[in-house]
Amino acid sequence: EIVLTQSPGTLSLSPGERATLSCRASQSVSSSYLAWYQQKPGQAPRLLIYGASSRATGIPDRFSGSGSGTDFTLTISRLEPEDFAVYYCQQYGSSTRYTFGQGTKLEIK
Amino acid sequence: EVQLVESGGGLVKPGGSLRLSCAASGFTFSSYSMNWVRQAPGKGLEWVSSISSSSSYIYYADSVKGRFTISRDNAKNSLYLQMNSLRAEDTAVYYCARDLYVSSGHDYWGQGTLVTVSS
C-alpha cells in the first residue's frame, strides 16, 4: 500500500506570500494519478489539481502542481485570504484504489 | 449544474446498520464512476469505496471490506452505501464524490451526511 506523507503539517504564512506544500509517496506514483484538494471548515473538499499538474475547472492560476515519482508539490504563488485552508494530496493505486495524505493546514501568520 | 445530495445519516448503535443515499443531478450519472469518502470528526479524508459507471468494478478500503456494500441505480441517478456491523470508528461525515474521469480524482462532492455510531 502506498502511503502519502504531507509536509509541513502546518504552514504559517501571510497574504501575498508564496506557499509550497509537499506530498511524498512511499513508492513511485504515476503522475496521472496524483491530485490535490482544498478543504475549508464545514465544507466538502474541492479538487484543485489532477494529473499532478492540471488545474481543475475554475481554479485560479496562482495554484500549480508539479512533481513526479515520489515527490509532488502544490504551489500557491501569491496567497489570497481565501486560500487559508487544509490541503490534501491523493493518489490512485490499482490495488488500494485511492489514498489521501494526512493534510497540510495553511494558516494566516 | 452538477449536484450531489447525500442522505440517510444519523445515530446508530454499534453493530447496527445504516443505508446512505446520494442523489445526483445535472450530469449523465451513468457515465461516471462514483465514490464514497469519509472524514471522522477533526480528522483527514479517507476513501471508502468506488463503483464504476456500469457497476462492473467495485472497490473497498480494507477498513470497511466485508461490512459495507456500494451500489448504484443509474435509472434513478442514485448511489448507495449499505453499512452493516457499524463500529465507533465508522463515525464520520460521509461524502459522495464523482470521478473526473477514471482514476483522476473527484471533481464534484456532496455536502456530506453525518453518521454517528454510539451506544
Side-chain angles (χ1 to χ4, degrees):
Chain A
E1 177 185 337
I2 295 179
V3 176
L4 299 180
T5 302
Q6 294 187 238
S7 61
T10 301
L11 184 58
S12 300
L13 294 170
S14 300
E17 290 192 294
R18 180 185 185 92
T20 303
L21 286 67
S22 174
C23 176
R24 178 162 291 177
S26 58
Q27 303 172 41
S28 184
V29 173
S30 168
S31 296
S32 299
Y33 301 147
L34 197 289
W36 289 93
Y37 299 86
Q38 176 194 68
Q39 188 180 33
K40 297 179 180 179
Q43 296 185 16
R46 177 172 71 145
L47 178 66
L48 299 175
I49 301 289
Y50 64 95
S53 61
S54 298
R55 272 187 302 276
T57 301
I59 301 303
D61 61 7
R62 64 180 181 273
F63 291 91
S64 63
S66 63
S68 64
T70 60
D71 290 298
F72 297 88
T73 301
L74 174 70
T75 301
I76 310 171
S77 58
R78 293 173 311 279
L79 285 166
E80 298 287 343
E82 62 268 26
D83 297 337
F84 293 91
V86 179
Y87 292 83
Y88 295 94
C89 58
Q90 180 199 41
Q91 69 89 31
Y92 162 80
S94 59
S95 60
T96 59
R97 202 61 180 176
Y98 291 108
T99 306
F100 288 95
Q102 84 280 14
T104 289
K105 181 179 181 181
L106 178 55
E107 64 176 25
I108 299 177
K109 187 174 183 180
Chain B
E1 179 193 5
V2 172
Q3 281 200 312
L4 298 170
V5 180
E6 302 95 336
S7 60
L11 176 63
V12 62
K13 289 181 167 54
S17 298
L18 214 54
R19 189 194 196 207
L20 305 184
S21 299
C22 173
S25 61
F27 66 102
T28 305
F29 180 72
S30 60
S31 296
Y32 289 85
S33 295
M34 298 294 296
N35 306 269
W36 288 100
V37 176
R38 69 184 180 184
Q39 186 169 36
K43 302 297 184 182
L45 301 170
E46 180 187 16
W47 168 78
V48 173
S49 183
S50 295
I51 185 167
S52 63
S53 58
S54 61
S55 304
S56 297
Y57 300 97
I58 288 175
Y59 304 90
Y60 298 99
D62 287 345
S63 57
V64 306
K65 202 173 293 182
R67 300 187 299 122
F68 290 11
T69 301
I70 191 172
S71 62
R72 64 190 296 161
D73 186 334
N74 286 343
K76 294 183 177 180
N77 291 337
S78 293
L79 176 72
Y80 306 101
L81 186 68
Q82 177 66 44
M83 303 186 296
N84 299 330
S85 303
L86 283 162
R87 307 166 179 167
E89 53 265 35
D90 296 319
T91 294
V93 173
Y94 285 73
Y95 297 99
C96 69
R98 187 185 86 165
D99 271 356
L100 173 61
Y101 52 84
V102 175
S103 314
S104 65
H106 317 314
D107 62 343
Y108 283 94
W109 297 63
Q111 84 290 349
T113 187
L114 176 62
V115 172
T116 303
V117 184
S118 174
S119 56

